[in-house]
Amino acid sequence: MTHPLKAVALAAAFSCLPVAALAQSSASVYGLIDMSAGQFQDAGAEKIYKAQSGNMATSFLGFKGTEELGGTIKANFAIETFLRADTGEAGRFGGDVFWARAAWVGLQGEFGATKLGRTTNQFFVSTLIFNAFGDSFGYSPSIRQVLTPSVVHPQMLAFLGDTGWSNSILYSSPSSGGFSFNLQGSLGEGAASARGRNVGVNVLYFGGPFAATVAAQQVKQGISGFTPAIQSAGFESQDSVQVGASYDLKVVKLFGQYSQVKTKATVETKSTIYGLGVSAPVGPGKVLAQYGNAKAEFPSSEVVNKTLTVGYDYYLSKSTDIYALVMNDKFTDKATGNTLALGLKLKF
């Protein structure tokens, strides 16, 4: 072989190296933009006419990647930031950390998967799976009453778990016979008097038309990660448990869930929440309905929130859908609130 031909052969050989390396790894950009407009009104509040981001699904932007390490072992990462498309601001609210949705690195294989960093709260995962409106923070009675009760109605008791845990370790088991489980812990960092630990577990079952979950967690941190998570004298922890189930009859899918949240402090309080929902395919979309009943129990009183949301989600494609809905919101001793909204959601 002449020298020029050798040079060409060597160049061709070396040019194949990056291609081989790239074949072992991948990275992608993805996200979701959700906007809705209409009349918004919680019980006891004034009507507001506005365009709102993230009510049907929280808008976000994410980056994720995978590298194959040999055999069945893979290294994974994800970083995801929430955004408010109506104003162009980052985060779910002012002061939210930039990568609040996810920021983790982990390993995956036949043993299951591990993630270290800021990971999704698995109690939240169980809540969103077993209600007709999924992870809708604006319209799902389950999400409003279990995950954000005191945000929607300040008179309700706070839920401290948030949807993501910082400084956390998450183990997800492989599925066996339809069963899988997730173990999660958020470590206390710094002085014991400054921070607490969170621990949680959920068990999931998917077997044909029937699915179910049991979830539990103990929280000693709030969204900021500090203890006490709420301004409550003698705060020790907040313990939450939940059971949920669904059954798909093809013509209609039924949902049910029950949650209980207890806060241990000098004055102990409790919330109980149950939800019932249906999802029915109609044409190219689905009719959705979800009812939620939440009761906050204080030592000498209680307040109740009842919410019903009914809507239609029309799929323009696998990635884009438009929706219309009405929501009726009732609260003890307050005027009823009524929300009517139209929206567009696009995944990419």
Side-chain angles (χ1 to χ4, degrees):
M1 183 181 291
T2 64
H3 289 296
L5 288 177
K6 286 182 180 179
V8 172
L10 287 171
F14 279 110
S15 70
C16 291
L17 291 178
V19 175
L22 287 172
Q24 303 301 313
S25 63
S26 64
S28 60
V29 180
Y30 57 99
L32 180 150
I33 303 292
D34 172 75
M35 284 293 302
S36 54
Q39 170 189 299
F40 297 84
Q41 184 186 33
D42 295 328
E46 296 293 327
K47 294 178 181 178
I48 300 176
Y49 299 92
K50 60 182 178 179
Q52 186 78 18
S53 172
N55 273 7
M56 192 66 161
T58 310
S59 302
F60 75 95
L61 174 67
F63 305 84
K64 65 181 178 181
T66 298
E67 182 179 14
E68 304 204 9
L69 302 177
T72 62
I73 307 298
K74 299 178 181 179
N76 303 318
F77 81 89
I79 51 174
E80 301 170 351
T81 179
F82 291 111
L83 62 93
R84 286 165 279 174
D86 52 341
T87 62
E89 296 173 277
R92 297 164 290 178
F93 46 79
D96 199 15
V97 296
F98 190 78
W99 300 112
R101 194 173 194 268
W104 55 262
V105 63
L107 294 174
Q108 179 181 346
E110 293 181 351
F111 59 86
T114 60
K115 298 176 182 178
L116 289 86
R118 182 170 174 85
T119 60
T120 302
N121 176 8
Q122 296 304 296
F123 195 91
F124 165 55
V125 171
S126 287
T127 304
L128 72 88
I129 292 174
F130 294 95
N131 84 89
F133 279 86
D135 63 346
S136 171
F137 275 76
Y139 309 127
S140 167
S142 295
I143 299 297
R144 288 163 58 95
Q145 295 175 345
V146 177
L147 273 296
T148 59
S150 62
V151 174
V152 179
H153 295 296
Q155 302 88 344
M156 300 296 286
L157 294 163
F159 178 83
L160 308 178
D162 198 11
T163 61
W165 286 1
S166 299
N167 308 311
S168 69
I169 300 172
L170 171 63
Y171 169 72
S172 301
S173 77
S175 179
S176 177
F179 285 96
S180 63
F181 66 90
N182 298 277
L183 296 173
Q184 188 174 23
S186 178
L187 305 179
E189 296 188 3
S193 61
R195 292 180 182 267
R197 295 184 178 91
N198 295 348
V199 292
V201 59
N202 73 338
V203 179
L204 298 164
Y205 174 76
F206 296 95
F210 178 72
T213 187
V214 177
Q217 68 178 27
Q218 182 178 84
V219 170
K220 295 185 177 181
Q221 302 174 12
I223 291 178
S224 63
F226 289 92
T227 301
I230 55 175
Q231 298 299 316
S232 179
F235 173 78
E236 295 180 11
S237 66
Q238 187 180 82
D239 302 323
S240 303
V241 295
Q242 183 185 100
V243 292
S246 65
Y247 198 91
D248 194 347
L249 298 168
K250 301 302 182 182
V251 293
V252 65
K253 186 174 183 179
L254 307 176
F255 300 89
Q257 57 187 192
Y258 174 84
S259 305
Q260 187 176 94
V261 182
K262 292 183 177 181
T263 302
K264 295 181 180 179
T266 302
V267 177
E268 297 193 356
T269 54
K270 181 176 73 173
S271 296
T272 54
I273 309 103
Y274 70 84
L276 299 170
V278 296
S279 170
V282 176
K286 291 181 179 180
V287 172
L288 307 171
Q290 184 75 23
Y291 171 77
N293 184 298
K295 180 171 65 175
E297 299 178 42
F298 300 88
S300 58
S301 65
E302 65 180 38
V303 290
V304 177
N305 175 221
K306 300 176 182 179
T307 305
L308 173 65
T309 306
V310 178
Y312 183 66
D313 199 3
Y314 182 93
Y315 303 109
L316 298 173
S317 70
K318 291 183 178 180
S319 301
T320 304
D321 56 292
I322 56 176
Y323 54 86
L325 58 86
V326 295
M327 182 173 69
N328 179 265
D329 189 45
K330 296 181 179 180
F331 196 90
T332 302
D333 297 329
K334 293 190 177 297
T336 299
N338 292 293
T339 293
L340 301 92
L342 297 172
L344 172 65
K345 181 177 65 177
L346 185 149
K347 295 181 290 185
F348 58 91

